[in-house]
Structures are given as C-alpha cells and as structure tokens.
Amino acid sequence: MVEEEKREGQQEIGGEAMDLPPAQENQETMEELITQHGLENVHRGKVVEGVIIDSTDDGWLVDIGFKCEGFLPKREWTHRILVDDDSDPSVGDRVRAEVTRVVHGEESQVLLSRWRLLFDERWNDLENALKSNETIKVVGLRKVKGGLVVNAYGLEGFIPISHLAEEGKMINPSKFINQEIEVKLLEKDRRKRRLIFSRRLILEQEMANRKKEFFENVKAGDILEGVVTSITSFGVFVDLGPIEGLVHISELSWSKNVKPRDIVKKGSKVKVKVLSVDPEQEKISLSIKQTEPDPWEVVGQEVKPGDRLSGRVTNTVDFGAFVEIKPGVEGLIHISDISWGHIDHPREVLKKGQEIEVQVLDVDVEQKRISLGYKQLHDPWETVAERYQPGQDVTVKVVKIVDFGAFVEIEKGVEGLIHISQISKSHVSDVSKVLKRDDEIRARVLEVDPKEKRIRLSIKALEEEEEKQHQQGERDKKDEKEGKEAQAPRESKNSHQAQESEEGMVTIGDVLKGQLKV
C-alpha cells in the first residue's frame, strides 16, 4: 500500500501527470525525466527544503522541487535525543530534511529524514563550541536514575550523579532542573548519539585554584571568618571557603573541660585564628579561644595573695586539685593545703565539678601558676580553745611516732603532741615500744595555744591521777577499817547499860495497868 502511494506520488510530481501524452506517443522514460530536471544532484546527505503535500499513516510526501516527491517517514521526523522538537507537521508546512536514500529506476524514490538533519546540525554546533572552549553551558531537563538529563545545544546529554558535585558530596539532581550549568565533556559518541558531561571537574578545578590562592595568601596568625560544619568529641570543623579547618577541643575556649556543643552550634559563624598552615597536606589548624584576650594577661592585676575566690574543681590528682577561678585560669590546691588532717587523696575531700571557696596563696603570672588553699578557710584552730581546755581528758589517735614523742589527732585538722616525758610515769627511752600508729588512747590536755597551733597532752598525768586515786582509796579503806574496830567495844558497853536501864524503868502504862487491876 505504502509503495503504491509512493509510486502514485512520484507519478504526480509537479502536478502535471494527468497531461502527459500516452506512453506510446511519448517514449521518454523516468530516468530521462530525472536527468532532464537535474534529479541526479539529489544524493544521500544532501539537505533539501520542501512543502508537505500529503500525509499517510507512515509519513509525509514532500515537494522538494523535483519531479519526484520526497517521502519523510514518521520515524524520521524526530528522535528522543532532540530537545524541544516540534509536533507532527500538517499539509502545507515547509520542512527541511536530509536525503537518506535515493532509488533510481522506474520506482525512483527519495527518502528523507528530518531528525538526522537536526541532529547533525546541533552536533556540529556542539563540537564547534567545544573546540573554542573547554566548558559549555547546558540546562537541566529532568532527573533520571543515576543522574540528570540536560539540554546541550538542543541535544540530550547526561550528567552522572557522581559528577554533579565535588567528590564525596551528595546532591539532589532535581535542584538543577531548568537551571543553567557549566560542564565539561566526559564522553561523546556520534554514532551512538551519546553525550556525557561533568560538573564536578569544573568544581574541582575551581576549588583547586581557590585552594592555591588561599594557601598563597593565608598565614599563621591571620584572623578569618568561617561557618561551623560539624562538631565532634575532639573538636569542631570550620568551613573557610576553599578548605575546612579543625579547631581542636583545647582551642575552643580558655575554660577547661568544656563540651564543644556548649561553645558553638552547627551552622553558626565564628571567628578563628590560624595556628598553622600545611599547603602540601591541605590542612589548617585553627583556634577560637585565641581570638579573645588571654585571661592570664590581666590575672596578675585582678588576683592577689590573700584574696578569697569562688571556683570549680576541674580535676583531682595525687598531688592536689585544680580549680578554675576565672574562665581559662586554673590554680592548684596542693594536697597539703586541702585538709588540716591527713588525707591519702584529694578526692576524699573534693569532687570534680564541685563549687568551692579558696584562698589565693601565691600568683606567678610568667609561669601561669596560682597556688590556692582550701584548708585555710576551714581552720579548726580558730575555735579550738572553745572546745578544749587544760585539764580536759580526750580520746586521741596516734598518727606519727617520733624520737621525742608522739603526734596524735584530736579531731580532723587538729593534732597535738604527747612528749616522751609525758607518755608514762615510768621512764621511756623508745616511744615505739609503748605506742603504735593508729592506737586510740586517752590523754589529758596540758596546754592549748591556738595562735601557734599547738596542744600539749599527757598520758602520765592520767596515770598519776589514777595512782593518787588508788592511794586515796587505800587510805580510805584503812581508815574505815580502823574506825570500825575502835567502835566495836563502845557499842558492846552501851548495849549492856541500856539493858539494865530498861529493867529499872517503870512506864506510865505500867502504873495505869496496876491501878486498873485494883
């Protein structure tokens, strides 16, 4: 059917077929007509222009100015690689097409293709643009699996999702729809009609140029602005534009033991000081705290020995406790200045994070050291005279044995001395043979001196008193016994006299009884 329609169309070339003389009267063949009208100039690849004169189910007949119409199949009208292509044409529309095949003979045909012409023209435009520029601009069309389809000079191209952004960064292709994008060609294949582009290569080149410029101009000590991109347990990453730098946790604040999330928030703008730059490794170390004055620069003017300050215990170690008295300024309470009594470790008295009051003992700004005292503000000796007086007996604990006596703990923070001469009423040449550490004993207070922080005690005084009491007891017993022995004869004589007296005595009752009997 199609072939018959094509033959019918070819017989009507020029609209004059009905006026031709009978074949027997005119012996000119189709080849002679084609030769006569120059159809030999029509060849494969030639671009022709004509008017659509008829349409069929399979395509359109096109008057291309020759005695033989061209046939444009529907499949040759457009192709998916063409962008923004026209809809199907109507009779009377002018079209441009490319000759794809010429058949000579009695059934001469000229087959046309519109999309191949447009493809070749647009492809040539693309190649010309790529010859003069490494990059071209395309427009995002639609998101597909694995990437983005783009319009490149009227042809569909493809950008893989891995080439939409810098390596390691993910991006949604939808954001590029209807947006102009600068790209580099990755691959092109005219025969397979394949175009693949990359945006990442341009971004990486731009970033490399920006990094080069950055490292050429930035040096240690510079103050920069950036945006916090991520927060970790060891520090904060800050975006400086072409590169990200790390602010170590120790450089976040002058204060100690801070949590990064308490100092900055993700997305917040911060000022940073450049500590070091490594162009080869593309690394840069930053500090936030050093954009602010060092508190040690003014601490010498604000803190003096003798001052009483409030602070927070930041750490406890074997030799003492560190206390932050101002943001970024820590002092040390030596273990000997924590308690008046003996302690094995500071944590027995102080806990990390505890708020306490301390007294400044010494300030060394050059060495950035401050000595603090805790026990000085909790001195039990200030009121010791109210609790202990000479002659008072107390229970004490032996804490240290020395040649000249024994030191004993009367209460936490208050120690006294029992001199060797006061340990026993008997002669003592070696204290350790009489007393042992941790022994709990009774002793008598002999002297209390709060100013000198001294208390003298005696065990001998108790022994002497006990001996006196014992001797007194013995004397009392002897006197009592002698008294009883002397009183016994007297009590016997008195008893006999009383009996005789009772026999010679007449009572009123006896008289009355006698009278009644009469």
Side-chain angles (χ1 to χ4, degrees), residues 309-371:
L309 304 171
S310 295
R312 177 174 59 88
V313 178
T314 58
N315 196 17
T316 57
V317 292
D318 292 341
F319 54 85
F322 290 95
V323 179
E324 186 178 56
I325 56 175
K326 291 180 177 294
V329 178
E330 280 189 341
L332 172 66
I333 307 175
H334 191 268
I335 190 170
S336 62
D337 287 310
I338 291 177
S339 174
W340 291 104
H342 173 76
I343 58 174
D344 293 323
H345 197 280
R347 60 172 168 261
E348 294 177 24
V349 179
L350 303 174
K351 306 298 180 186
K352 187 175 180 180
Q354 181 180 348
E355 296 287 339
I356 60 172
E357 192 174 16
V358 294
Q359 181 175 326
V360 179
L361 303 181
D362 185 52
V363 179
D364 187 341
V365 177
E366 291 185 1
Q367 297 296 324
K368 292 187 176 182
R369 292 177 181 174
I370 295 180
S371 297

Side-chain angles (χ1 to χ4, degrees), residues 136 150 152 157-160 163 183-186 195-198:
I136 61 171
V150 297
F158 179 67
I159 303 178
H163 279 268
V183 295
K184 270 189 173 183
L185 181 69
L186 276 183
L195 290 170
I196 300 178
F197 300 100
S198 172

Side-chain angles (χ1 to χ4, degrees), residues 60-64 68-72 110-112:
W60 300 270
L61 290 176
V62 183
D63 182 0
I64 58 176
C68 175
E69 289 89 354
F71 182 67
L72 178 59
V110 178
L111 298 180
L112 306 175

Side-chain angles (χ1 to χ4, degrees), residues 81-317:
I81 197 171
L82 301 179
V83 179
D84 298 330
D85 202 16
D86 297 334
S87 57
D88 289 352
S90 302
V91 175
D93 290 347
R94 295 191 64 82
V95 295
R96 294 174 64 250
E98 178 182 309
V99 176
T100 58
R101 185 182 178 194
V102 178
V103 179
H104 297 284
E106 293 184 358
E107 296 185 357
S108 296
Q109 282 186 328
V110 178
L111 298 180
L112 306 175
S113 173
R114 173 180 169 275
W115 79 262
R116 296 178 192 275
L117 171 62
L118 295 180
F119 172 79
D120 289 340
E121 291 178 343
R122 297 178 185 184
W123 187 278
N124 292 337
D125 290 341
L126 172 64
E127 287 193 326
N128 291 333
L130 292 171
K131 287 178 182 178
S132 57
N133 296 286
E134 287 188 359
T135 64
I136 61 171
K137 290 185 177 180
V138 299
V139 177
L141 292 178
R142 62 185 180 276
K143 174 185 175 181
V144 294
K145 183 178 181 180
L148 179 72
V149 175
V150 297
N151 178 359
Y153 285 81
L155 301 176
E156 284 193 358
F158 179 67
I159 303 178
I161 194 169
S162 60
H163 279 268
L164 274 174
E166 296 94 330
E167 187 173 3
K169 292 186 178 181
M170 297 301 296
I171 196 167
N172 186 357
S174 299
K175 69 174 291 185
F176 294 105
I177 294 176
N178 297 325
Q179 299 295 317
E180 194 172 66
I181 315 166
E182 190 172 10
V183 295
K184 270 189 173 183
L185 181 69
L186 276 183
E187 179 185 348
K188 65 182 177 72
D189 189 323
R190 187 166 188 157
R191 185 178 63 83
K192 294 181 179 180
R193 296 180 285 277
R194 177 186 297 167
L195 290 170
I196 300 178
F197 300 100
S198 172
R199 176 174 176 264
R200 190 186 81 192
L201 295 179
I202 295 178
L203 296 177
E204 289 177 348
Q205 184 60 51
E206 290 177 350
M207 185 60 68
N209 295 336
R210 291 174 62 194
K211 285 181 179 179
K212 181 181 178 182
E213 182 181 0
F214 178 87
F215 285 113
E216 287 176 351
N217 297 320
V218 174
K219 60 185 181 301
D222 288 350
I223 303 297
L224 307 175
E225 285 192 355
V227 177
V228 176
T229 56
S230 62
I231 301 174
T232 68
S233 59
F234 56 84
V236 171
F237 286 95
V238 178
D239 183 6
L240 300 175
I243 195 170
E244 279 190 352
L246 172 65
V247 181
H248 191 267
I249 189 171
S250 61
E251 292 295 330
L252 283 174
S253 172
W254 291 109
S255 298
K256 301 293 184 180
N257 299 322
V258 297
K259 295 180 180 179
R261 297 184 187 278
D262 294 337
I263 305 299
V264 296
K265 304 296 180 185
K266 186 175 180 180
S268 59
K269 291 183 179 180
V270 293
K271 281 187 177 181
V272 293
K273 181 178 181 180
V274 178
L275 300 182
S276 64
V277 180
D278 187 348
E280 293 184 1
Q281 298 295 324
E282 294 186 349
K283 291 182 179 180
I284 183 168
S285 297
L286 308 170
S287 173
I288 291 178
K289 77 177 186 182
Q290 293 192 36
T291 60
E292 302 172 353
D294 186 346
W296 280 97
E297 295 176 359
V298 296
V299 75
Q301 302 171 0
E302 297 179 349
V303 179
K304 303 294 182 183
D307 289 352
R308 297 177 65 162
L309 304 171
S310 295
R312 177 174 59 88
V313 178
T314 58
N315 196 17
T316 57
V317 292

Side-chain angles (χ1 to χ4, degrees), residues 9-29:
Q10 292 167 357
Q11 292 173 359
E12 296 175 357
I13 292 176
E16 302 174 355
M18 299 299 295
D19 299 327
L20 289 174
Q24 61 272 21
E25 298 179 335
N26 190 345
Q27 299 298 321
E28 288 182 320
T29 65

